Amino acid sequence: MKNLKAKKNRKAYIYLTPALISITVLSILPMLYTIFIAFTNYSLKNQNYGYGTAAGWKIVGLYQFQQILTGALKSQFFPLLLWTLIFTALSTFGSYFIGLIFAMCLSDKNMKESFIYKGLLVIPWALPGAITIVSFRGLFNSQYGSINLMLQQLHLIKEPIMWLTTPFAARLAVILISLWIGFPYMMNVCMGAISAIPDTHYEAADLDGATGFQKFTKITLPSLAKTSYPLLISNFAFNFNNFNSAYLLTDGGPSKAGSSFAGWTDILGSATYKMSTLQGNFALGAAMSILLFLIIGTLSIINMNISGQFKESEG
């Protein structure tokens, strides 16, 4: 029996070996290397001189983290973190509530042509995100963009809005694009969850004389909670590091006075990319990526504790 069991285990390891090698090479080793680099002064200027030489790179301990949290970059990092949190919260919860509104409308049995609207509303999700964002870059153009032209024809504005060149308008544009790309996914999830709610619940509420708002707050929202919590947590983590919206639309701009690596629309993910690839400070970029991971992990754990996800798993 032992020989048979050992033979089965060896056979299982043979099948798992390609996957384990891929995970090790593509995930584990880069993560370990990033952690190592974060404790050095490795950069584009000293990388060719080798490790440990006089002009080369070496281990400097927590110096990079001190630069970010308490040193010269402190005044840039914490405003960047605040904007990242604001952007993430508005993108996540805004997409969810827009998707929920559309899901409730399309789930109405009296809407006979709902399948047409479902097909149209899912288009932003079906298109590649990068193509969508680059297209919006033209739509938001202050001189010939269709958005400004439409707003002027509707007499909502008199002068063109400088969407991509002024701080507030650029940040608003980034959030609007995130909502546009994100709401179809939320809509589809909410529609599936709503369809799973038994009609008898609403029929009983009608017999009790409940209003539409009462049915929404007492039946629909509680029924959506179990589906919504994991969805919102995962989407929050995704938006926190949503590189595309911030970088492809505005390149992180407009530029911010006093900031050496981040513009007004940059979030932590895009700022880390700029620090590493554009400025060549790989050690500082690695340290920022570790802080980014710690922040996302901490917020996810807090959200899971609040929503009771761990208790549900243990039960």
Side-chain angles (χ1 to χ4, degrees):
M1 290 295 294
K2 291 183 178 180
N3 292 334
L4 181 61
K5 186 176 181 180
K7 186 177 180 180
K8 289 183 177 180
N9 289 338
R10 284 195 298 271
K11 190 174 182 180
Y13 284 124
I14 291 173
Y15 288 119
L16 289 173
T17 297
L20 293 174
I21 293 174
S22 300
I23 293 172
T24 301
V25 173
L26 300 177
S27 297
I28 297 177
L29 290 180
M31 286 191 295
L32 294 176
Y33 185 66
T34 300
I35 294 173
F36 170 69
I37 289 297
F39 294 93
T40 68
N41 64 343
Y42 186 63
S43 68
L44 191 64
K45 296 179 181 180
N46 58 25
Q47 65 173 348
N48 294 326
Y49 294 100
Y51 173 75
T53 60
W57 55 286
K58 58 186 177 180
I59 294 177
V60 294
L62 298 173
Y63 175 76
Q64 306 297 348
F65 296 95
Q66 292 173 348
Q67 285 286 97
I68 297 171
L69 298 177
T70 60
L73 297 178
K74 175 183 176 181
S75 60
Q76 302 175 45
F77 176 77
F78 286 103
L80 179 63
L81 174 60
L82 177 61
W83 158 241
T84 303
L85 290 171
I86 294 172
F87 164 78
T88 304
L90 292 176
S91 299
T92 302
F93 296 106
S95 298
Y96 177 76
F97 284 112
I98 293 173
L100 178 59
I101 291 171
F102 279 120
M104 293 184 64
C105 293
L106 296 175
S107 297
D108 190 341
K109 296 180 180 179
N110 295 321
M111 186 179 288
K112 303 300 181 183
E113 66 280 6
S114 61
F115 67 96
I116 299 176
Y117 300 124
K118 290 176 184 177
L120 294 174
L121 290 172
V122 83
I123 290 177
W125 185 31
L127 294 174
I131 295 176
T132 301
I133 295 171
V134 172
S135 300
F136 267 99
R137 191 167 187 166
L139 294 174
F140 277 119
N141 187 278
S142 57
Q143 295 181 351
Y144 54 82
S146 299
I147 293 178
N148 271 343
L149 293 176
M150 181 182 66
L151 293 175
Q152 286 178 318
Q153 290 176 357
L154 294 174
H155 302 290
L156 296 177
I157 59 173
K158 294 182 179 180
E159 299 294 331
I161 299 175
M162 302 299 175
W163 286 106
L164 305 180
T165 55
T166 55
F168 179 80
R171 285 183 166 183
L172 180 60
V174 170
I175 292 173
L176 290 175
I177 286 182
S178 297
L179 295 176
W180 172 262
I181 296 175
F183 86 84
Y185 173 67
M186 297 292 190
M187 179 187 72
N188 279 276
V189 172
C190 290
M191 285 176 60
I194 290 173
S195 65
I197 302 174
D199 293 335
T200 54
H201 292 183
Y202 294 104
E203 292 171 0
D206 289 332
L207 292 175
D208 291 336
T211 63
F213 181 75
Q214 288 174 329
K215 288 188 287 185
F216 174 72
T217 56
K218 301 297 183 181
I219 300 175
T220 306
L221 279 184
S223 300
L224 290 173
K226 290 183 179 181
T227 305
S228 300
Y229 280 132
L231 172 67
L232 289 172
I233 292 170
S234 62
N235 198 257
F236 187 91
F238 170 79
N239 283 321
F240 198 91
N241 199 26
N242 191 354
F243 174 88
N244 289 340
S245 296
Y247 191 78
L248 295 179
L249 180 66
T250 61
D251 292 329
S255 58
K256 191 175 184 180
S259 179
S260 59
F261 64 95
W264 282 99
T265 57
D266 270 316
I267 60 174
L268 283 175
S270 61
T272 301
Y273 172 80
K274 285 183 174 181
M275 180 63 69
S276 301
T277 61
L278 301 183
Q279 298 191 8
N281 199 330
F282 305 118
L284 196 58
M288 287 184 64
S289 67
I290 292 174
L291 290 175
L292 181 59
F293 167 76
L294 293 175
I295 293 170
I296 294 176
T298 302
L299 291 174
S300 298
I301 291 173
I302 292 173
N303 288 330
M304 288 180 180
N305 279 326
I306 293 174
S307 62
Q309 295 300 309
F310 290 135
K311 294 180 180 178
E312 184 178 347
S313 298
E314 292 172 0

